[in-house]
Amino acid sequence: MRRINTTHFAILGLLRLKPMSAYELVKFSKESIGLFWNESYGHIHKSIKQLQLEGSVSVVEEAETGRRKIVYGITEQGCDQLDTWLALPPEEPVMRNELLMKLFVSDERHIPQLITFLEEELTANEQLIKMLAGIKASVPKGESKQAQLWLLTLDYGERYLRMTMEWCQHALETLSHPNRGEYNE
């Protein structure tokens, strides 16, 4: 079964929050949903152009301030498409974790390098948890459903990072004591 191009729907969803340029979409994505949704500027720019051709987004502002800035907004048609997609069950996520692949295909010679990678992953996740705390602090306080949805998303990210950190610590302990025999939990 062919997968849906979810990049288009991610862009529509972000533009429903507020009109943005392609650059602002990339920046906003990195600062808010980057832990679970990552797109390059080129991919976002190409997708916006396709959405514009389809009538799902339109230019709402264009400015020349040293650099040409085009701000896009979602159209009624785009809102309808987004709402239709939101009603569909999510597709199974595609996981690609290079660290796990390297761990799986490595042998004993690679353990020192794997330990370095695991330590770096642990440090990176600690930094990401701090970043999430900053984002969490910037979410408007109150009982708004939008804020609750954002906080739930942040909670998932934090729990995922903590689980990954726990696993990295376990993997480091396991690889640091190779003579303990069989793998034990």
Side-chain angles (χ1 to χ4, degrees):
M1 182 177 182
R2 189 167 174 250
R3 294 183 68 82
I4 295 172
N5 183 350
T6 52
T7 300
H8 288 194
F9 296 109
I11 290 170
L12 292 174
L14 293 175
L15 290 177
R16 185 150 67 181
L17 294 175
K18 67 179 184 177
M20 291 183 257
S21 68
Y23 173 79
E24 290 167 331
L25 278 165
V26 172
K27 187 174 186 290
F28 184 80
S29 294
K30 285 182 181 178
E31 294 172 353
S32 60
I33 60 173
L35 285 176
F36 62 89
W37 198 271
N38 219 317
E39 296 289 353
S40 70
Y41 174 81
H43 196 175
I44 285 180
H45 193 310
K46 181 180 172 185
S47 294
I48 286 175
K49 291 299 180 192
Q50 181 63 41
L51 288 166
Q52 188 177 16
L53 283 174
E54 295 170 1
S56 301
V57 302
S58 63
V59 174
V60 295
E61 178 186 329
E62 198 166 343
E64 295 274 347
T65 55
R67 186 174 208 170
R68 188 171 178 221
K69 179 180 178 182
I70 300 172
V71 176
Y72 298 91
I74 190 169
T75 64
E76 190 174 323
Q77 175 184 318
C79 286
D80 292 343
Q81 289 173 327
L82 179 61
D83 288 337
T84 299
W85 175 72
L86 287 170
L88 296 173
E91 291 186 7
E92 186 174 327
V94 176
M95 183 177 178
R96 291 178 57 101
N97 186 315
E98 192 173 334
L99 175 59
L100 289 177
M101 180 54 81
K102 287 183 177 191
L103 190 73
F104 186 77
V105 299
S106 291
D107 60 32
E108 195 169 321
R109 297 175 293 142
H110 303 107
I111 289 177
Q113 184 62 57
L114 292 170
I115 287 173
T116 300
F117 292 154
L118 288 162
E119 289 169 341
E120 290 169 352
E121 181 75 11
L122 199 54
T123 300
N125 286 340
E126 288 168 348
Q127 292 170 348
L128 286 171
I129 284 179
K130 289 177 185 172
M131 182 190 77
L132 285 183
I135 293 170
K136 191 175 187 178
S138 72
V139 173
K141 304 293 183 245
E143 296 296 317
S144 92
K145 287 297 177 192
Q146 186 65 62
Q148 287 178 336
L149 295 171
W150 288 346
L151 289 171
L152 281 170
T153 308
L154 286 167
D155 182 58
Y156 176 90
E158 184 178 351
R159 288 172 189 252
Y160 178 82
L161 291 170
R162 290 196 187 284
M163 181 278 304
T164 302
M165 289 170 59
E166 183 182 316
W167 176 83
C168 284
Q169 290 165 339
H170 170 72
L172 285 166
E173 180 67 24
T174 300
L175 294 176
S176 297
H177 299 91
N179 298 326
R180 286 194 178 163
E182 294 295 314
Y183 169 83
N184 293 314
E185 201 173 288

